[in-house]
Amino acid sequence: MSLPTTLPEPVIPRLVGGPTLRWGVLAPGFIAGVFASTLHRNTDQRIAAVASRSAERAETFARSHGIDRSYDDYRALVDDPGIDIVYVAAPHTEHLALATLALEAGKHVLVEKPIAASADEARRIAEAARAAGRFAMEAMHTRFHPRMTVIERLLADGALGELRLVQAELGLGNVPVDPTSRLYDPALGGGAALDLGVYPLWFHDFVLGAPTRLDVSGTLAVTGVEDQWNATLHHDDGATGEIAATMRTWTPSHAAIGGAEGRIHLDSRHPQPGGFTVYDVRNQPVSRFDDETGVVGTDGLCRQAAWAAQHIADGLLESPLHPLATSIRVLETVDGVRAGLGAAPIGEDAA
């Protein structure tokens, strides 16, 4: 099969003019601010209320983002009849409790990635969503960027031939080693696996699915969380994944898929919106995808909200693009990486 010189068109949700929801935000930290800004700037979705344990923090966030109501109690927000869906933006270790709180109150949920601090906790969120009959989705924004829908079609068509290798890594530099910070605190789900590695591990799963075995090496910070690691993920058909994440240095943050008939190389940084190039078996470029929507960088977080609104309007309880089974499967691999490194248990202080 020859590689296509003309690529499929991306599948893009309507950011304006499609179904809309009344959003509530639990835990208005940094990522919640990014989400609120892009949501209001790029879509006609609107955040109607925000809740924090601190009344002052909730009020400040509401003023900054033009939100009508603020609460100093999470229960008050999930009981608000003017809220359709709750965005859970708390630290990883609070995702299970807050998602369950919202679901049991009859609200749909979009839970910041990773959906939970472990695969077991993710399963419990899925069970709570099924019991409540409400929509639940992980906020894995990378899945919803236009280039991923094009790559998905190329893989489904077998454009690269037999898939042999997935490479993906993500690095974050200038992170001070602070035992009290979220990134280094095991009690809050810190470490380079849950916070960063979930992106390249998701990409690996998107292409090859779950590995049958993994080999992992890396280093632990003074708090016991993993601060740098790399893993080889093995599959029964001979395909492998080479995945890495670090909090110790910036990296190119590239991702690539290698097949018998060609390869795809994603532009850096691969979790964000962007383009990719297709190369043939002679390693010559044959086609190029560029994201021409104008939504760049962290503004890409708005698309997951538009997709969630569309899925709910369609009567779905999960996203067919990113079902809960995928979130659970990726966290099973994250659990394996952390266990292989001997990292400090999540939710517990380092010894």
Side-chain angles (χ1 to χ4, degrees), residues 2 16 18-19 30 59 72 108 120 132 139 171 234 277 308 324 329 340 344:
S2 60
V16 176
F30 169 77
E59 291 167 1
D72 63 359
H108 306 294
D120 180 66
H234 303 270
T277 303
L324 295 173
R329 197 167 58 238

Side-chain angles (χ1 to χ4, degrees), residues 34-79:
V34 173
F35 178 78
S37 293
T38 184
L39 202 68
H40 288 168
R41 182 165 53 246
N42 293 301
T43 81
D44 50 10
Q45 309 289 325
R46 285 297 175 266
I47 298 172
V50 57
S52 169
R53 294 190 182 98
S54 162
E56 181 181 3
R57 190 174 191 182
E59 291 167 1
T60 299
F61 189 91
R63 285 196 301 270
S64 298
H65 296 283
I67 298 169
D68 291 339
R69 301 185 296 284
S70 64
Y71 299 106
D72 63 359
D73 178 69
Y74 293 145
R75 168 67 69 179
L77 185 144
V78 302
D79 286 342

Side-chain angles (χ1 to χ4, degrees), residues 80-146:
D80 185 335
I83 297 299
D84 302 312
I85 185 169
V86 171
Y87 172 58
V88 177
H92 316 322
T93 47
E94 296 183 45
H95 288 184
L96 171 61
L98 294 182
T100 302
L101 181 73
L103 289 165
E104 291 179 347
K107 299 298 191 282
H108 306 294
V109 295
L110 176 68
V111 186
E112 185 51 49
K113 64 82 198 164
I115 194 170
S118 68
D120 180 66
E121 289 190 359
R123 293 186 195 97
R124 292 163 65 185
I125 291 175
E127 291 165 2
R130 285 191 289 269
R134 291 295 181 266
F135 179 87
M137 188 176 87
E138 178 183 40
M140 180 57 71
H141 65 93
T142 305
R143 175 62 180 95
F144 303 98
H145 300 325

